[in-house]
Amino acid sequence: MKVYFLTGRPEHQRAATLKDLANEGYPAPAGAFLKPEAGGAVPGYLTCAPTCTTTQYKSLTRQHIESLGDTVVLNLGDQFSDLDGGHAERPVKLPNPMYYLP
């Protein structure tokens, strides 16, 4: 089993994000995907760039993970934009009383 992190956080927050996750006990990921920033490198699989919605960015990234030969068995997220767009066998919406992204 491999763990991938896929977040809408901007690329410049990579080190802090991975450190925070490690401090919470998460294993080192097989891959960590953060949202590209204006003027930065954009992966070729993000065919909607530079105007990707969060749903497009996350579903295209899951599709990219599948193209690597992996199956996304479980997709956890606290926003519907984390889950929409397919490319996961089991999407699970986690509750988040702190904020909601439409």
Side-chain angles (χ1 to χ4, degrees), residues 12 17 25-27 34 69-70 77 86 90-91 93-94 98-99 101-102:
H12 78 269
T17 298
Y26 287 93
L34 284 79
D70 293 329
R90 171 75 69 172
K93 169 75 168 68
L94 302 172
M98 301 305 287
Y99 71 96
L101 298 174

Side-chain angles (χ1 to χ4, degrees), residues 2-102:
K2 295 178 186 176
V3 174
Y4 289 93
F5 297 140
L6 170 54
T7 178
R9 291 180 179 192
E11 185 62 43
H12 78 269
Q13 292 182 356
R14 175 178 292 275
T17 298
L18 293 176
K19 181 180 178 203
D20 289 347
L21 290 166
N23 288 345
E24 291 299 322
Y26 287 93
F33 300 90
L34 284 79
K35 202 165 189 179
E37 297 182 77
V42 176
Y45 59 83
L46 290 179
T47 56
C48 55
T51 60
C52 298
T53 65
T54 299
T55 296
Q56 289 171 319
Y57 157 68
K58 290 185 176 185
S59 62
L60 286 169
T61 301
R62 289 191 303 272
Q63 183 179 22
H64 170 69
I65 292 168
E66 290 176 335
S67 78
L68 300 174
D70 293 329
T71 300
V72 179
V73 176
L74 179 64
N75 180 21
L76 301 171
D78 67 347
Q79 303 297 315
F80 288 110
S81 61
D82 297 331
L83 311 174
D84 291 343
H87 301 285
E89 290 185 359
R90 171 75 69 172
V92 175
K93 169 75 168 68
L94 302 172
N96 183 346
M98 301 305 287
Y99 71 96
Y100 168 75
L101 298 174

